[in-house]
Amino acid sequence: WKQKRNNQKAAETMEFTFPNYYKEFSCIAGSCPDTCCAGWQIVIDNKTLKKYQHFKGPFHNRLHNDIDWKEHVFRQYNRRCAFLNEENLCDIYTEAGPKMLCDTCRNYPRHIEEFESLREISLSLSCPEAARILLSQKEKVHFVTIEKEAAEETYDDFNYFLFTALMDTRDLLIKIIQNRNVPIRKRLWKVLAITHDFQLCLNKNELFKWEEIRKRHEDSGFGKTFCDKVHSRMNTSDTSKDLFKNMWKTIVPEMEVLRPGWKEFLKERLDSLYISSGENDYIYQKNEFDFYCPDWQIQEEQLLVYWIYTYFCGAVYDDEIFTKVKMAVVCTLFIHELDVGTYLKNEHHFNLNDQIQICYQFSRELEHSDLNLNKFQELMSENNIFSFENLLKIC
């Protein structure tokens, strides 16, 4: 997505933005219910590779043998990093010290989106501890920006006009998502409607009209006129249950599986949910879950903010504004489907640990594979099952 040219010139100011809960994170190491060192390849940066090449001592042979020097990755055995021991701890850390960790291992679960003179940092949902921190947040998430001196850099073809519009619109989207005086369904409708029209402006090369259109959306509220317009666009031919089932059938076969048992994990939970005889039973079960698991109302908000914050402004590189928001909505609603399926599978029991497991496993399969992330967005953009009309229906 990013075409960058770094020019080392005079020092300038770099902004770093992160969520307010960012500094709460501390790796829980061996106490973690899973490991971040299995299921995907870990790429080693060039600087660290040189450190490994010149490392002295008895650990040198291990480093030499368990690194794929051609691909710049750690070797894997049974899909686990060669340096991950039986206690799920890193032998590089214990044998060579923390300074010998590569950038990927040192930074995870910190995720960085790069823009000219700006870095946006988040904690990846794929980490169980980061997921716990996010899902335990009761207050509205806000974002902190600090400035640091950094080398001047220039990005080729960086569209500041579009980027400014994206930043301002993202602020509005998050404000709408966090409006707890409005039912979440209406908030989702509004977010989809706004970005649907934003995409149309960009497609027609009429970005200059966006301020006026955005203001109209902002002023229109959530009343009868807005809801009537939504219902006039909504798919009324298919049930929400059938739409969700077809969305899963579209997505799952297209994705590579990173960890064994993922498809079985999905099947167990979705079968529990979709085995009901019809739409009424399906809706009743979802309403029952929402009633007995009220934390979901806030967790849904936090997840939507997470996806929007992490990916929305990346549209400055590919113009896929509506696609980014579709992804945020579908990912959040998919997690809800898995929640309800788990609730039914577990005989109407569900707790925070269940929610954490669903979220971090879902994120690992999606966010830790460029192939999966790109395919997911491609389907959001091109497959009609994820149309505006269908998404309005399933919210």
Side-chain angles (χ1 to χ4, degrees):
W1 293 357
K2 303 175 179 65
Q3 298 295 323
K4 182 173 74 170
R5 181 182 71 248
N6 288 327
N7 296 325
Q8 302 299 323
K9 298 181 180 178
E12 65 169 15
T13 298
M14 175 79 74
E15 291 188 342
F16 295 83
T17 300
F18 46 87
N20 62 287
Y21 57 82
Y22 174 76
K23 293 186 178 180
E24 292 180 33
F25 176 78
S26 178
C27 179
I28 58 175
S31 300
C32 187
D34 210 316
T35 175
C36 55
C37 306
W40 56 76
Q41 285 190 325
I42 299 172
V43 177
I44 310 167
D45 57 284
N46 290 331
K47 183 178 178 180
T48 306
L49 273 175
K50 290 180 180 178
K51 286 184 181 180
Y52 293 160
Q53 285 175 327
H54 298 102
F55 186 83
K56 305 295 184 182
F59 197 61
H60 170 81
N61 289 339
R62 175 96 182 272
L63 282 170
H64 179 78
N65 293 331
D66 284 333
I67 290 174
D68 184 331
W69 296 93
K70 182 179 179 180
E71 298 296 329
H72 295 190
V73 297
F74 295 116
R75 297 192 187 280
Q76 290 189 335
Y77 302 105
N78 296 322
R79 300 182 68 85
R80 289 166 60 89
C81 175
F83 295 96
L84 181 65
N85 63 34
E86 293 181 358
E87 286 76 38
N88 279 345
L89 298 175
C90 175
D91 284 339
I92 293 179
Y93 187 98
T94 56
E95 297 291 334
K99 291 184 179 180
M100 292 296 288
L101 294 177
C102 66
D103 285 349
T104 301
C105 296
R106 185 183 300 110
N107 292 332
Y108 182 80
R110 297 159 190 87
H111 172 85
I112 302 174
E113 289 291 315
E114 298 185 1
F115 306 100
E116 190 166 305
S117 300
L118 173 64
R119 299 293 182 268
E120 295 197 331
I121 310 169
S122 58
L123 293 177
S124 177
L125 191 65
S126 63
C127 167
E129 178 61 8
R132 184 197 65 78
I133 292 170
L134 173 65
L135 296 167
S136 300
Q137 294 286 308
K138 301 299 182 186
E139 301 300 318
K140 297 176 183 178
V141 170
H142 63 274
F143 298 91
V144 179
T145 298
I146 61 173
E147 294 184 353
K148 293 183 180 180
E149 193 174 272
E152 183 180 2
E153 60 180 18
T154 304
Y155 284 56
D156 292 335
D157 302 321
F158 191 83
N159 187 335
Y160 267 105
F161 185 33
L162 174 58
F163 187 64
T164 301
L166 288 167
M167 292 283 280
D168 290 344
T169 303
R170 185 178 65 178
D171 288 344
L172 174 60
L173 298 180
I174 291 175
K175 180 181 177 182
I176 291 168
I177 291 167
Q178 293 180 330
N179 186 350
R180 297 179 183 177
N181 296 319
V182 176
I184 191 66
R185 190 180 199 200
K186 290 185 179 181
R187 289 181 252 171
L188 288 174
W189 285 346
K190 179 67 78 171
V191 164
L192 287 167
I194 287 172
T195 49
H196 173 269
D197 289 354
F198 193 169
Q199 188 70 62
L200 290 179
C201 278
L202 188 61
N203 292 348
K204 295 176 181 178
N205 291 318
E206 295 178 344
L207 194 57
F208 61 92
K209 291 184 177 180
W210 176 237
E211 283 297 320
E212 176 187 343
I213 296 171
R214 192 188 73 180
K215 185 67 165 57
R216 189 170 71 238
H217 275 293
E218 194 172 0
D219 292 342
S220 66
F222 302 89
K224 185 177 184 300
T225 300
F226 169 70
C227 293
D228 286 347
K229 192 168 184 178
V230 167
H231 283 100
S232 72
R233 292 293 305 270
M234 185 185 295
N235 176 351
T236 56
S237 302
D238 300 293
T239 66
S240 56
K241 175 184 173 182
D242 286 341
L243 287 174
F244 268 120
K245 288 174 67 176
N246 287 330
M247 287 176 182
W248 282 110
K249 288 178 181 178
T250 301
I251 288 278
V252 174
E254 296 287 341
M255 313 287 271
E256 68 169 337
V257 175
L258 297 188
R259 308 188 95 192
W262 171 241
K263 286 191 176 181
E264 291 75 16
F265 179 87
L266 291 179
K267 188 175 188 303
E268 286 179 356
R269 283 146 184 81
L270 297 178
D271 281 355
S272 297
L273 177 59
Y274 298 141
I275 200 171
S276 58
S277 58
E279 178 79 349
N280 290 339
D281 288 341
Y282 167 76
I283 292 174
Y284 176 84
Q285 289 169 338
K286 293 179 73 169
N287 289 339
E288 180 185 319
F289 170 84
D290 291 348
F291 179 80
Y292 286 106
C293 304
D295 286 347
W296 168 249
Q297 306 304 318
I298 295 178
Q299 290 168 351
E300 182 173 12
E301 171 192 307
Q302 309 294 30
L303 288 169
L304 285 164
V305 171
Y306 167 83
W307 301 113
I308 294 288
Y309 169 71
T310 304
Y311 293 105
F312 182 72
C313 288
V316 73
Y317 298 113
D318 62 10
D319 294 343
E320 293 286 348
I321 297 166
F322 194 35
T323 293
K324 302 290 191 290
V325 170
K326 284 182 176 183
M327 186 180 94
V329 171
V330 171
C331 285
T332 303
L333 295 180
F334 271 12
I335 287 171
H336 188 226
E337 296 287 284
L338 293 172
D339 288 351
V340 182
T342 301
Y343 171 77
L344 297 172
K345 174 181 172 292
N346 293 344
E347 299 181 346
H348 298 237
H349 294 286
F350 191 87
N351 58 38
L352 179 60
N353 287 333
D354 294 321
Q355 183 67 280
I356 291 169
Q357 182 187 20
I358 288 166
C359 287
Y360 83 71
Q361 290 194 203
F362 182 90
S363 172
R364 287 185 177 198
E365 293 297 321
L366 175 62
E367 296 188 272
H368 284 269
S369 165
D370 287 341
L371 187 154
N372 284 350
L373 199 55
N374 291 334
K375 176 56 69 174
F376 200 98
Q377 293 193 91
E378 179 186 316
L379 291 170
M380 295 296 112
S381 176
E382 299 178 6
N383 194 298
N384 191 57
I385 190 66
F386 301 105
S387 67
F388 182 41
E389 293 75 14
N390 287 348
L391 294 189
L392 293 174
K393 176 73 174 186
I394 66 172
C395 287

